[in-house]
Amino acid sequence: MPIPLVNSVASWFLKKRFHQIDLFLKYPYEVQNELLTQLLELSKNTEIGKKYNFESIGSYREFAERVPVSTYETSHELIERSRRGEQNIFWAKPIKWFAKSSGTTNSKSKFIPVSNASLEDCHYAAGKDLLCMYLNNNPDSELFNGKNLRLGGSKELYEENGTIFGDLSAILIDNMPFWAEFSSTPSNKVSLMSNWETKMQAIVDETIKENVTSLAGVPSWMLVLLNNVLETTAHSNLLEIWPNLEVYFHGGVSFMPYADQYKKIIPSSSFKYYETYNASEGFFAIQDQNDSNDLLLMLDYGIFYEFIPMDVYGTKNEKVIPLYAVEKGKNYAVIITTNAGLWRYQIGDTVRFTCIDPYRIKVTGRTKHFINVFGEELIIENSERALKNVSEKVGCEISEYTVAPIFMQGNNKGAHEWLIEFKTPPKDLNYFSELLDNALKALNSDYEAKRYNNMTLNPPKIILARNGQFHDWLKSKNKLGGQHKIPRLSNSRILLEELMALA
């Protein structure tokens, strides 16, 4: 299909879709309340619907009072029954797929239910919206003149009962219409290979022959792939291989630590970066503007949203609030009710609202990934921005990092220990450490207070990781590739000491 025609079709679709988007932009609460009513109606005869008498729930207040907030741990038994073939437990339609996630704080696998509705009305709908918004913002795009280089996970079968589990990306690839493969690279066969290291070279071999116009995948693993492409081809940047490359659609981890490295291998001021916020549990938000750091919260993907203010999270004063009660600039834990049967489910992410008309967010971290051992309340957003600021000042590049507390012992005060793997190390590590400390003070008043005159916290301790140390830890946990990531901040030293043992 000629490019102008493809763009015209996309433009037609976009105009139809914009009417629907306009509805939730103008009437967010009405759209969300109607969605909750639909989810309750669809599930009233399920096991969980009967348990909480969904049929008699007539308002959000009744829903919030009757249905408890859940976690994977509290939902595990029901999900396992569903994986063994039982149906109508938490969703009225059959559940065939389960997105496997090995988690981030331990090696225990999670299996998140994926329904037909969540595939079609959430994940695939978001993919269409993302493309249409991008084309609307860039009408001269030649995106469809080439292929999208996608980087996904592998697929395994849960054979005993006919249910299928694997990385969400693999489930999406496996269920896409056959024609979608024609616009993507590598082939489905290569995309679904299970051995990450073999798969990496196979992807390189296939994609260097193609006219790649866009990239899609998690920044950390995509960077590994792209560096392998450069090494294999002996080129200095990607535009020498794919001159028509124009956009990278990324998500899964913060892009901030990787931004400078991408700009080096894609040296073009017109190249676009578009961020998404999705997970195994659903697709939540999309960057809908060029050169924006904010993500539009999508309110009609079959997901009903609630939030817990992080200033009371985990305390006796913890409270759950609906969308209409959130405030700009505040940090919240995200609670979702979905069209795959997750009811008031904590996904473990934290977001900050940058705007409430429309609702725009930034992902700030994880509810379990912060450091607050000494009352410093350090979150991932702080550490990422501080590292970016300091790296720009001293001209270094960071590949991976993690941070853990050094606990107080006797008269010894506490501190933060940073294990950092540099691609380009700083010339003076002590100076880097001093700048990092000052950057964190500037970003976080609680950290600054605890560091005042070394009263509670000593200066940060920086440990240089050897090249490949984080990769080796991921490999030892069978977490190479896909959407696996290194936990950045922790209140314990378990991860750090496991990594240090591989030095």
Side-chain angles (χ1 to χ4, degrees):
M1 188 180 289
I3 301 309
L5 181 56
V6 172
N7 286 350
S8 294
V9 171
S11 177
W12 172 82
F13 177 86
L14 182 65
K15 286 176 182 176
K16 289 187 66 177
R17 175 62 181 136
F18 265 5
H19 174 68
Q20 297 168 319
I21 292 174
D22 195 47
L23 277 177
F24 76 67
L25 293 179
K26 289 181 178 177
Y27 309 105
Y29 318 131
E30 291 84 351
V31 168
Q32 279 277 282
N33 284 335
E34 183 180 349
L35 173 60
L36 178 60
T37 300
Q38 291 171 354
L39 292 172
L40 290 167
E41 174 65 24
L42 285 168
S43 304
K44 64 184 181 183
N45 292 320
T46 62
E47 182 177 316
I48 201 165
K50 291 176 179 178
K51 179 178 181 179
Y52 297 113
N53 197 6
F54 284 180
E55 190 170 17
S56 68
I57 293 177
S59 67
Y60 167 70
R61 181 184 295 275
E62 290 178 356
F63 173 71
E65 289 175 350
R66 195 175 303 176
V67 182
V69 172
S70 66
T71 63
Y72 187 80
E73 287 70 27
T74 60
S75 308
H76 176 260
E77 184 180 340
L78 295 180
I79 290 173
E80 282 303 300
R81 284 173 54 199
S82 181
R83 287 185 66 221
R84 291 194 294 268
E86 288 188 55
Q87 299 295 344
N88 207 42
I89 300 173
F90 42 75
W91 187 243
K93 303 289 185 179
I95 299 286
K96 182 180 178 182
W97 299 285
F98 293 84
K100 181 182 178 183
S101 168
S102 55
T104 48
T105 55
N106 55 52
S107 59
K108 181 180 178 180
S109 293
K110 295 181 181 179
F111 296 90
I112 304 300
V114 178
S115 66
N116 277 326
S118 62
L119 276 178
E120 295 296 334
D121 301 335
C122 183
H123 293 290
Y124 290 148
K128 293 172 188 175
D129 283 351
L130 177 62
L131 287 174
C132 286
M133 288 175 180
Y134 174 76
L135 291 173
N136 182 64
N137 295 333
N138 303 280
D140 297 327
S141 167
E142 295 191 1
L143 192 69
F144 295 111
N145 199 32
K147 293 191 175 184
N148 169 254
L149 195 170
R150 62 191 180 187
L151 185 59
S154 59
K155 185 187 77 172
E156 299 175 69
L157 295 177
Y158 185 68
E159 298 174 354
E160 290 82 359
N161 301 293
T163 56
I164 299 170
F165 69 86
D167 290 348
L168 174 66
S169 56
I171 293 173
L172 296 176
I173 290 170
D174 197 43
N175 286 281
M176 281 181 178
F178 73 92
W179 50 263
E181 187 173 1
F182 297 137
S183 62
S184 303
T185 187
S187 63
N188 284 5
K189 180 181 178 181
V190 169
S191 292
L192 298 175
M193 289 173 65
S194 58
N195 185 294
W196 173 253
E197 290 166 321
T198 304
K199 172 179 173 176
M200 179 68 68
Q201 191 57 49
I203 294 175
V204 172
D205 293 340
E206 274 199 16
T207 56
I208 59 177
K209 305 167 189 174
E210 301 285 357
N211 175 28
V212 174
T213 54
S214 62
L215 309 170
V218 176
S220 52
W221 293 112
M222 180 61 77
L223 189 61
V224 173
L225 171 64
L226 297 179
N227 282 325
N228 280 346
V229 168
L230 293 175
E231 185 177 342
T232 299
T233 60
H235 283 290
S236 60
N237 71 71
L238 294 176
L239 299 179
E240 295 173 355
I241 306 164
W242 302 311
N244 299 312
L245 192 62
E246 62 175 81
V247 60
Y248 174 28
F249 302 108
H250 63 86
V253 298
S254 171
F255 187 64
M256 198 181 300
Y258 307 100
D260 290 339
Q261 295 180 61
Y262 274 91
K263 288 175 183 176
K264 281 189 176 181
I265 62 176
I266 310 174
S268 169
S269 59
S270 62
F271 187 81
K272 301 288 191 299
Y273 297 90
Y274 264 62
E275 185 174 354
T276 63
Y277 173 30
N278 63 313
S280 299
E281 294 87 352
F283 209 120
F284 311 123
I286 294 173
Q287 177 185 328
D288 62 320
Q289 301 170 316
N290 285 339
D291 306 315
S292 171
N293 291 320
D294 297 345
L295 306 180
L296 179 66
L297 190 64
M298 305 302 286
L299 302 181
D300 63 350
Y301 284 172
I303 300 173
F304 179 79
Y305 292 98
E306 298 174 90
F307 303 89
I308 301 176
M310 284 305 291
D311 56 359
V312 295
Y313 181 85
T315 72
K316 63 180 181 180
N317 297 318
E318 179 176 294
K319 60 182 178 179
V320 181
I321 62 174
L323 181 64
Y324 63 75
V326 301
E327 298 177 40
K328 181 180 175 180
K330 279 194 144 186
N331 245 12
Y332 296 95
V334 182
I335 308 293
I336 58 173
T337 293
T338 78
N339 52 4
L342 297 176
W343 296 94
R344 306 196 81 201
Y345 181 90
Q346 289 194 57
I347 59 174
D349 290 342
T350 61
V351 300
R352 175 167 50 85
F353 282 86
T354 59
C355 179
I356 56 175
D357 185 19
Y359 285 99
R360 298 186 185 277
I361 61 171
K362 287 185 180 179
V363 182
T364 54
R366 300 278 295 170
T367 55
K368 293 182 179 179
H369 296 173
F370 61 91
I371 300 183
N372 195 30
V373 173
F374 311 103
E376 67 275 48
E377 296 189 19
L378 191 71
I379 62 174
I380 293 175
E381 187 181 34
N382 300 152
S383 64
E384 306 273 66
R385 182 151 305 275
L387 285 173
K388 184 177 188 297
N389 293 346
V390 175
S391 296
E392 288 176 352
K393 284 183 181 179
V394 303
C396 68
E397 291 181 316
I398 294 171
S399 298
E400 294 287 358
Y401 76 94
T402 194
V403 192
I406 299 174
F407 294 105
M408 295 178 177
Q409 290 186 344
N411 294 324
N412 295 326
K413 294 171 184 174
H416 292 167
E417 189 165 10
W418 296 64
L419 179 65
I420 306 177
E421 183 178 327
F422 290 95
K423 184 178 180 183
T424 305
K427 293 179 181 178
D428 186 335
L429 193 61
N430 289 329
Y431 181 54
F432 175 91
S433 179
E434 180 183 337
L435 288 179
L436 178 62
D437 188 30
N438 290 334
L440 291 170
K441 290 176 184 176
L443 290 166
N444 185 316
S445 59
D446 291 309
Y447 177 86
E448 181 182 35
K450 301 304 179 291
R451 282 284 298 115
Y452 181 72
N453 287 337
N454 297 342
M455 193 171 296
T456 304
L457 281 176
N458 280 326
K461 179 181 179 181
I462 310 291
I463 305 295
L464 287 178
R466 64 169 174 81
N467 185 37
Q469 193 165 335
F470 286 88
H471 175 278
D472 291 347
W473 180 83
L474 286 165
K475 187 174 181 179
S476 73
K477 300 291 183 181
N478 196 27
K479 292 184 178 183
L480 288 180
Q483 297 179 326
H484 301 303
K485 61 204 80 167
I486 296 290
R488 299 305 194 193
L489 308 178
S490 175
N491 278 317
S492 81
R493 292 184 57 83
I494 295 173
L495 169 63
L496 181 66
E497 292 184 1
E498 285 183 358
L499 278 158
M500 297 283 278
L502 298 174

